[in-house]
Amino acid sequence: MRLCIMGAGRIGSAVADLADDYGHTVTALADSKSAVIDEDGIDVDSAFAEKRDEGRIGEDALEEATEALYDVLIEVTPTTPGNAEPAYSHVRTALERDCHVVLGNKGPVAERYQDVRALERESAGELRFEATVGGAMPVISTITDLEPSRVTNVRGVFNGLANFILSRMAAEGLGYEHVLAEARDLGIGEADSDFDIEGTDTALTCSIIANVLSRTDHEFRLGDADIEGIKHIPGSALDLAKEDGQTIRLIGDVTSENIRVGPRLVPSNGPLAVQGTKTIVQIETETTGRINVSGGGTTGHEIATAILTDINRIGE
Amino acid sequence: MRLCIMGAGRIGSAVADLADDYGHTVTALADSKSAVIDEDGIDVDSAFAEKRDEGRIGEDALEEATEALYDVLIEVTPTTPGNAEPAYSHVRTALERDCHVVLGNKGPVAERYQDVRALERESAGELRFEATVGGAMPVISTITDLEPSRVTNVRGVFNGLANFILSRMAAEGLGYEHVLAEARDLGIGEADSDFDIEGTDTALTCSIIANVLSRTDHEFRLGDADIEGIKHIPGSALDLAKEDGQTIRLIGDVTSENIRVGPRLVPSNGPLAVQGTKTIVQIETETTGRINVSGGGTTGHEIATAILTDINRIGE
């Protein structure tokens, strides 16, 4: 497949790095300012070298990338809550041109689900977004296989930074600010850590799941979620929980009608009490009970693998 | 879809029970002696009432079921190590008639993988066997999506009865024979418990995974597995493990070249130390690390849901 990669951060660069190994050719690649386009395949290494040296990935205009020759557009610009732009426009252009779209950016399916599904219905291209929920963990595909209408509940720990903070605070008795600084030193989480800690990232993930589970035309958006972050949890609350064989995790909980995101008490030795930056998703139906999926982290190469795995699903 | 269900035990009866809810019609249903066939749909309840009262499911000859009118043959007779018969013949008849096949019986893919794949290549029908590995857990589909050639290792706890015995022995300090009797009282495991305890069932599951991972024409069979059961593990070994923060689990470990089944020391608080009849599978690739899938038990309705979910995947 010929790939157009919109976004040249840690995920975009990892997709570009792995594409050749999966038999794909990158024909367009864009950062936030510019693009590099070549129908015969871009020299990915020199494009990223140019980005390091010149501060931009190429000499073509950004707008030209989505109009270039490609089979799949990969949207991995940073997720911006609100109107999902510019990701939404990239997705629209690709689908209107009958190209496939694979999302890493959560926005289009978290906040404009009905719009992008309508575009997909009119297109010969497919829209895939497994990588937006739990990275390399098979969540959307498992829900789809089980049939969304049979799934009664999906819940889990979806954010690695928030979980790192809570599990370090509980294990070491350290304060919130100290652990957050430690996470920054380790390069965990995005530049805007509030996005993770206040529950926004988890709520966007839950909105995507709710859109998949929804049995009506209602479009879930960030505003539909009842959200509480973890910023104001004192170490003493974690100590109290511990005395009772429990701990606190930032849990996202989704049904076809509701989204709740907030800190919850969970048993210390139960499946939801994952450690460090690990994440877990529990999918429940009436006849299977809970299926747990965990692991598959959130580094650039892990998310990139999820995106390349989604490309494999095109045409299924 | 019109279904032919070969096998009327706990899984066959659960599939028959749930079929209508999934929009399917059962047109043929067979136990080990007889069959009931009706192109317009069988009255499932009265067929099972007849089985209870008369000791056979219907008045038609067993052989006629696979020749009846159906779209999907569901093979859920008991797995018999060796030549995978009579399941293999049922699968062959269905594929030669261009019908789809969904397996619950492990035999055809654990012991005659190349043969059934060759039949599938010549058929307009598809062969699906997700339910043979970990029931409702998405294992084969996850391996397929990640690409089998990229999966470096699959390992896990695959057998509920063996795990029940080991986890009860460790938790309560009870002896092997006592816990086995307890499991029988609770109806856990098949009639032939040696099949579970000696590692045969786990090895068959691992053989299926190895066949999917294999990069050569080599056909894995039960005889390729290095198997050690749990029958001779003394309670003292579990006590010693516990002192060291560990416990013992019956682990199946598969690469594209090897199958090993046997009791292994695992950390007590690690993902492999699942409790009771629970099972877990870890799938590893170079770029995603380990993805864990757990839960989704092995009751009749859980396996039946896995089979009906596999029917949903036909044509993907």
Side-chain angles (χ1 to χ4, degrees):
Chain A
M1 296 268 205
R2 290 164 299 194
L3 311 183
C4 166
I5 305 175
M6 300 303 291
R10 69 189 175 102
I11 299 169
S13 62
V15 172
D17 186 36
L18 291 172
D20 184 51
D21 184 42
Y22 278 75
H24 304 308
T25 305
V26 181
T27 54
L29 174 59
D31 61 13
S32 58
K33 298 180 210 127
S34 66
V36 48
I37 296 165
D38 187 335
E39 291 189 6
D40 299 323
I42 290 163
D43 181 338
V44 166
D45 290 342
S46 51
F48 281 97
E50 176 151 346
K51 186 167 168 61
R52 268 193 309 277
D53 298 342
E54 310 288 336
R56 52 161 177 64
I57 197 109
E59 299 193 350
D60 293 312
L62 175 56
E63 300 72 37
E64 288 170 34
T66 57
E67 302 290 346
L69 183 74
Y70 57 84
D71 303 298
V72 188
L73 179 135
I74 295 167
E75 173 40 72
V76 286
T77 61
T79 301
T80 45
N83 60 0
E85 290 291 4
Y88 178 77
S89 294
H90 299 157
V91 171
R92 188 182 57 206
T93 302
L95 288 173
E96 283 178 353
R97 295 182 62 205
D98 289 330
C99 296
H100 307 294
V101 171
V102 174
L103 295 176
N105 186 311
K106 299 179 203 276
V109 278
E111 304 227 78
R112 302 188 70 174
Y113 191 76
Q114 297 294 346
D115 288 343
V116 290
R117 283 303 203 190
L119 289 169
E120 189 194 23
R121 279 193 295 275
E122 299 294 313
S123 174
E126 287 179 31
L127 174 75
R128 296 261 163 193
F129 51 96
E130 178 68 81
T132 64
V133 177
M137 299 192 284
V139 179
I140 299 297
S141 63
T142 300
I143 293 171
T144 307
D145 284 344
L146 290 169
E147 296 182 12
S149 64
R150 294 177 192 280
V151 174
T152 49
N153 180 238
V154 178
R155 60 177 192 165
V157 170
F158 295 98
N159 187 278
L161 175 61
N163 205 65
F164 176 85
I165 290 173
L166 289 173
S167 58
R168 284 287 289 168
M169 282 174 73
E172 309 291 334
L174 298 167
Y176 173 86
E177 293 296 341
H178 181 100
V179 177
L180 179 60
E182 191 183 58
R184 286 211 181 101
D185 287 347
L186 292 166
I188 298 166
E190 307 293 332
D192 175 12
S193 60
D194 273 0
F195 186 68
D196 299 303
I197 292 157
E198 298 289 15
T200 313
D201 175 66
T202 299
L204 287 167
T205 306
C206 290
S207 175
I208 298 168
I209 297 169
N211 279 320
V212 172
L213 297 188
S214 179
R215 288 156 208 185
T216 69
D217 286 343
H218 177 69
E219 175 176 77
F220 285 91
R221 306 186 54 168
L222 189 57
D224 290 301
D226 174 15
I227 311 175
E228 190 187 338
I230 61 163
K231 217 168 189 171
H232 304 292
I233 294 176
S236 57
L238 283 156
D239 293 342
L240 272 172
K242 198 173 189 173
E243 283 172 24
D244 202 26
Q246 301 196 83
T247 190
I248 298 173
R249 288 292 180 268
L250 180 61
I251 303 290
D253 194 301
V254 187
T255 68
S256 62
E257 292 173 357
N258 277 298
I259 302 170
R260 287 181 309 160
V261 173
R264 301 276 179 271
L265 280 169
V266 302
S268 293
N269 57 1
L272 289 171
V274 287
Q275 297 295 319
T277 57
K278 295 214 178 88
T279 56
I280 177 167
V281 185
Q282 300 188 309
I283 301 165
E284 192 168 349
T285 77
E286 274 182 24
T287 51
T288 60
R290 278 200 194 110
I291 297 172
N292 305 305
V293 185
S294 66
T298 51
T299 66
H301 273 74
E302 287 165 323
I303 304 281
T305 301
I307 286 168
L308 289 156
T309 301
D310 237 4
I311 296 176
N312 288 345
R313 293 190 183 99
I314 289 171
E316 269 187 358
Chain B
M1 296 266 205
R2 290 163 299 193
L3 311 184
C4 167
I5 305 175
M6 300 303 291
R10 71 188 174 100
I11 299 169
S13 62
V15 173
D17 186 35
L18 292 173
D20 184 50
D21 184 43
Y22 278 76
H24 306 308
T25 305
V26 182
T27 55
L29 174 60
D31 62 13
S32 60
K33 297 178 210 130
S34 66
V36 49
I37 296 165
D38 188 335
E39 292 189 4
D40 298 322
I42 290 162
D43 180 339
V44 166
D45 290 342
S46 52
F48 280 98
E50 177 151 344
K51 185 167 168 64
R52 269 194 309 276
D53 298 341
E54 309 287 338
R56 52 162 178 62
I57 197 111
E59 299 192 349
D60 294 313
L62 175 56
E63 300 73 35
E64 288 169 34
T66 57
E67 303 290 347
L69 184 74
Y70 56 85
D71 303 298
V72 188
L73 180 134
I74 294 167
E75 174 38 75
V76 286
T77 62
T79 301
T80 45
N83 60 1
E85 289 292 4
Y88 178 77
S89 295
H90 299 157
V91 171
R92 188 181 58 206
T93 303
L95 288 173
E96 283 177 353
R97 295 182 62 206
D98 289 331
C99 296
H100 306 294
V101 172
V102 174
L103 296 175
N105 186 312
K106 299 178 203 276
V109 277
E111 305 227 76
R112 300 187 72 174
Y113 190 77
Q114 296 293 345
D115 288 342
V116 291
R117 282 303 203 189
L119 289 169
E120 189 194 24
R121 278 193 296 274
E122 298 294 313
S123 175
E126 286 180 30
L127 175 74
R128 296 261 162 192
F129 51 97
E130 177 68 79
T132 65
V133 177
M137 299 191 285
V139 178
I140 300 296
S141 62
T142 300
I143 293 171
T144 307
D145 284 343
L146 290 168
E147 296 183 13
S149 64
R150 294 178 192 279
V151 173
T152 49
N153 180 240
V154 178
R155 62 179 190 163
V157 171
F158 294 98
N159 188 277
L161 175 61
N163 205 65
F164 177 85
I165 291 173
L166 289 172
S167 57
R168 285 286 291 166
M169 284 175 72
E172 308 292 334
L174 298 167
Y176 172 85
E177 293 297 340
H178 181 99
V179 177
L180 179 59
E182 190 183 59
R184 286 210 181 100
D185 286 347
L186 292 167
I188 298 167
E190 306 293 331
D192 175 12
S193 60
D194 273 2
F195 187 68
D196 298 305
I197 293 158
E198 297 289 15
T200 313
D201 174 65
T202 299
L204 287 167
T205 305
C206 290
S207 176
I208 298 168
I209 297 168
N211 279 319
V212 173
L213 296 189
S214 179
R215 288 157 208 186
T216 69
D217 286 341
H218 176 69
E219 175 177 75
F220 285 91
R221 307 187 55 168
L222 191 55
D224 290 301
D226 175 14
I227 311 176
E228 192 187 336
I230 61 163
K231 219 168 189 169
H232 304 293
I233 294 175
S236 57
L238 284 155
D239 293 342
L240 272 172
K242 199 173 189 174
E243 284 172 23
D244 202 27
Q246 301 195 82
T247 189
I248 298 174
R249 287 292 180 268
L250 179 62
I251 302 290
D253 193 301
V254 187
T255 67
S256 62
E257 293 174 356
N258 278 298
I259 301 171
R260 287 180 311 161
V261 174
R264 301 276 179 272
L265 282 170
V266 303
S268 294
N269 56 2
L272 289 170
V274 287
Q275 297 294 318
T277 57
K278 295 215 178 88
T279 56
I280 177 167
V281 185
Q282 300 187 310
I283 301 165
E284 191 169 348
T285 78
E286 276 183 23
T287 51
T288 60
R290 277 199 196 113
I291 296 172
N292 305 305
V293 185
S294 67
T298 51
T299 66
H301 272 76
E302 287 164 324
I303 304 281
T305 302
I307 286 168
L308 289 155
T309 301
D310 237 3
I311 296 175
N312 288 346
R313 292 189 184 100
I314 290 171
E316 268 187 0

